[in-house]
Amino acid sequence: MSVGLLLITHHPLGADLLRVATGIFGTCPTRVEALEVENDAPCDLMLAQAEQMAGRLDAGDGVLVLTDIYGATPARLAGALLARRPHLRVLAGVNLPMVVRALNYAALELDVVTEKALAGGRDGVCICPEPDVEE
């Protein structure tokens, strides 16, 4: 078994991140879905969708939810989902390195996958060195 992955993001970020990440792997190594929030979507319907998705994704090892901006509607939905499902973890500030790490380590325990994804997201943000310019 493996940890399921649910992206709850502003539209169209989640599907785009998954498309790129699965392109890197050539296939999707775990169960994964994206719930993309439209600005005018009713929150109660979105939460019901998120709950259904989390139920499909959890094969017994839990679900890691990745969301974009902490405090925004997608993150608030993820927080509401967390309150309803104890075998779930939520990380905000999703980026491509975070998604790749979560997919790469999905076979590990939920807390380990969460830490690996967090490290990937954090370590994936850096100032790039200036190139050496030869004259």
Side-chain angles (χ1 to χ4, degrees):
M1 284 202 230
S2 65
V3 170
L5 182 63
L6 175 59
L7 276 71
I8 303 178
T9 65
H10 289 91
H11 176 78
L13 182 60
D16 288 344
L17 284 169
L18 289 179
R19 181 179 48 77
V20 174
T22 56
I24 290 170
F25 286 100
T27 185
C28 190
T30 192
R31 293 169 317 286
V32 60
E33 293 190 39
L35 176 61
E36 296 178 320
V37 177
E38 299 282 349
N39 289 337
D40 58 352
C43 286
D44 56 338
L45 294 177
M46 297 300 292
L47 182 56
Q49 263 189 290
E51 206 156 0
Q52 288 175 353
M53 290 173 150
R56 284 193 301 266
L57 292 169
D58 191 354
D61 292 326
V63 176
L64 175 58
V65 177
L66 304 179
T67 188
D68 48 20
I69 302 171
Y70 181 74
T73 302
R76 288 195 319 271
L77 284 171
L81 185 61
L82 179 61
R84 295 176 178 207
R85 300 187 69 90
H87 206 51
L88 190 109
R89 301 293 180 272
V90 176
L91 292 178
V94 68
N95 60 23
L96 186 57
M98 185 184 288
V99 174
V100 168
R101 280 279 187 98
L103 291 173
N104 194 47
Y105 291 101
L108 301 177
E109 293 180 8
L110 179 59
D111 288 334
V112 175
V113 176
T114 302
E115 287 301 319
K116 293 286 189 182
L118 178 61
R122 182 183 52 241
D123 297 346
V125 177
C126 61
I127 296 173
C128 296
E130 292 184 31
D132 292 334
V133 178
E134 297 201 20
E135 294 183 37

